[in-house]
Amino acid sequence: MTALAVIWGLSFVAIRIALDEIGPLTSVAHRIVWAMLVLWGVVWAMRLPVPRSAGTWAAFFVMGLLNNVIPFSLMAWGQLYIESGLTSILNAATAIFGVLVAAMCFADERLTPRKLIGVCLGFAGVAIAIGLENLRDFDIRSMAQIAVITGTVSYALASAWARKTLGHLPLQVAAAGMLTGSTFVTVPLAIWVEGPITLSLRPETFLAVGYYALIATAGAYLLYYRILAMAGSGNLMLVTLMIAPVAIIAGALLLGEKLSPNAYAGFCLLALGLVILDGRLVSRKSKDGAQASD
């Protein structure tokens, strides 16, 4: 789990480095296409069946929009105007929106009092991290932060869509199909808006693209699913707590970024909300208390 947090945390810095030379849509196109090719290679090597149903491929297309095209593009654009560390903090709100979307979509994901407390603390943390003065003034920086948060909402919708439509598929096939659906949207859009996609890039850009496409997307998906099978979704949610510190430290060391004190305060409150949402720490303390009373 720590490895996954480090991989995703460093991806925010890698994306920011790439954005110095290429546009956000081109950045997303590189990320999706190379990751897609790697994952289809994995599917072929594992001899997994490729879906033939038109309905399944339509679901891949929607999943690609929700889980790749929309959040990747909005977050890449947002990082042009805000720090990679702040982007990672706001990205942690994905778990908060995920709980709300799941409660609205699935009967077995109802919003309990514990979850409601966690959600409220999480929203308060996001508001503090953004800084209410940014919303009051509403400049390009505040728009960039709203774009990142909109991306987290899209991630949450993608989780619900995946559970509803893709749960019957091998996870590697679902990821490869999703990226394929994303490719059919992102590549034409990037060419239309930002011009032809090229591999003639500066060495640092090429390395950044290679990192976030091959390691932080294709490799991270495979690691993600392995952890999911071994540790469950609850442990995976806690990864979001570890990504932000990695991104903040890397941004400071590699890019010279500095965050305001309210960003750190907001992250602490958001982290508390996520811990409460996870529930295991609360239940463990309750069990310890019950054993002590016995």
Side-chain angles (χ1 to χ4, degrees):
M1 191 166 66
T2 301
L4 187 60
V6 171
I7 288 172
W8 276 340
L10 292 176
S11 71
F12 288 97
V13 177
I15 291 168
R16 187 62 194 85
I17 291 173
L19 291 174
D20 286 337
E21 182 175 5
I22 59 178
L25 291 174
T26 301
S27 170
V28 174
H30 276 297
R31 179 175 189 173
I32 290 172
V33 169
W34 302 120
M36 176 194 68
L37 295 175
V38 170
L39 287 176
W40 278 124
V42 171
V43 170
W44 176 81
M46 296 178 67
R47 299 183 183 277
L48 297 173
V50 177
R52 299 182 182 278
S53 165
T56 299
W57 282 97
F60 283 153
F61 181 82
V62 175
M63 184 66 179
L65 286 175
L66 292 175
N67 203 56
N68 294 151
V69 177
I70 295 173
F72 286 179
S73 300
L74 289 177
M75 290 185 179
W77 179 80
Q79 277 193 256
L80 289 172
Y81 305 101
I82 61 177
E83 300 85 349
S84 57
L86 181 56
T87 304
S88 69
I89 291 175
L90 300 179
N91 179 68
T94 299
I96 302 296
F97 290 112
V99 168
L100 293 177
V101 170
M104 291 187 289
C105 295
F106 305 109
D108 60 344
E109 296 278 0
R110 62 187 181 87
L111 198 61
T112 63
R114 173 180 59 79
K115 288 183 178 180
L116 185 59
I117 292 173
V119 166
C120 290
L121 287 173
F123 274 125
V126 170
I128 292 173
I130 291 175
L132 297 180
E133 70 280 0
N134 289 323
L135 297 180
R136 185 185 64 239
D137 298 337
F138 205 78
D139 54 11
I140 190 66
R141 182 179 175 84
S142 62
M143 290 178 63
Q145 293 178 86
I146 291 173
V148 173
I149 293 174
T150 303
T152 68
V153 175
S154 188
Y155 276 139
L157 294 172
S159 296
W161 180 259
R163 175 179 171 181
K164 185 176 181 180
T165 64
L166 302 177
H168 62 291
L169 296 172
L171 298 174
Q172 296 84 353
V173 174
M178 171 189 66
L179 288 168
T180 303
S182 308
T183 297
F184 284 110
V185 177
T186 305
V187 172
L189 185 61
I191 294 173
W192 180 51
V193 175
E194 297 174 354
I197 298 173
T198 179
L199 293 178
S200 300
L201 305 172
R202 296 197 301 260
E204 60 269 28
T205 305
F206 197 80
L207 288 174
V209 168
Y211 176 82
Y212 66 67
L214 302 181
I215 298 177
T217 304
Y221 271 134
L222 296 175
L223 182 59
Y224 173 94
Y225 291 132
R226 179 175 176 82
I227 295 174
L228 180 64
M230 295 174 59
S233 58
N235 280 310
L236 273 174
M237 189 173 72
L238 294 181
V239 171
T240 58
L241 297 179
M242 303 165 65
I243 292 174
V246 172
I248 291 170
I249 293 171
L253 293 177
L254 300 176
L255 303 176
E257 295 180 344
K258 294 182 180 180
L259 294 181
S260 62
N262 64 284
Y264 294 103
F267 173 69
C268 290
L269 194 56
L270 174 58
L272 177 60
L274 293 178
V275 169
I276 292 174
L277 278 174
D278 181 66
R280 283 170 296 169
L281 182 61
V282 176
S283 62
R284 187 180 301 127
K285 286 187 175 181
S286 299
K287 290 180 181 177
D288 292 341
Q291 291 174 355
S293 62
D294 291 342

